[in-house]
C-alpha cells in the first residue's frame, strides 16, 4: 500500500451494502435495491435496535470477519442462507 500524506485509502470490505433504519426500539435492514433483508441480518438488526438512538439510518457493509481479521464473503452467504458455518464463532457485523 502506498504511504505518505498525499495518499488516501479506503478499505474494501467483501460483504453486502445495507441500510439499517432504527426507530422506536426497532430496526430493519434494506438492500441497495430496497429489499427488506431484516430476517437475513437478524444479529445486526437486533444489535442496531438496542442502540441509544430515537431514530437513525446506518449506511454500511454487512460482513463476516474471519479469525485473521479479513472479511469472508462465502461465510456471509452461508449465514444468510442459514447454512452451518465452518467457523460458528464468527460474527455477522455491520461496518
Amino acid at each position: 500500500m502506498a504511504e505518505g500524506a498525499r495518499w488516501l485509502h479506503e478499505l474494501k470490505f467483501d460483504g453486502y451494502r445495507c441500510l439499517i433504519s432504527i426507530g422506536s426500539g426497532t430496526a430493519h435492514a434494506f438492500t441497495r435495491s430496497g429489499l427488506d433483508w431484516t430476517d437475513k441480518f437478524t444479529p445486526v438488526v437486533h444489535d442496531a435496535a438496542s442502540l441509544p438512538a430515537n431514530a437513525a439510518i446506518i449506511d454500511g457493509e454487512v460482513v463476516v470477519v474471519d479469525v485473521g481479521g479479513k472479511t469472508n464473503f462465502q461465510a456471509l452467504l452461508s449465514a444468510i442462507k442459514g447454512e452451518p458455518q465452518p467457523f460458528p464463532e464468527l460474527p455477522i457485523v455491520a461496518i
Side-chain angles (χ1 to χ4, degrees), residues 9-86:
H9 303 281
E10 179 178 321
L11 295 176
K12 169 65 174 121
F13 296 109
D14 201 6
Y16 274 110
R17 175 89 179 269
C18 184
L19 291 174
I20 300 174
S21 66
I22 303 167
S24 303
T26 63
H28 298 276
F30 298 95
T31 65
R32 278 189 312 188
S33 61
L35 298 175
D36 186 336
W37 275 25
T38 301
D39 61 331
K40 296 184 187 306
F41 296 143
T42 303
V44 173
V45 171
H46 177 359
D47 289 347
S50 68
L51 292 172
N54 292 329
I57 295 177
I58 300 171
D59 181 1
E61 191 89 2
V62 176
V63 299
V64 170
V65 179
D66 68 20
V67 293
K70 295 181 181 177
T71 56
N72 185 323
F73 190 70
Q74 290 304 315
L76 178 60
L77 290 178
S78 294
I80 289 170
K81 294 176 185 175
E83 296 173 352
Q85 294 295 300

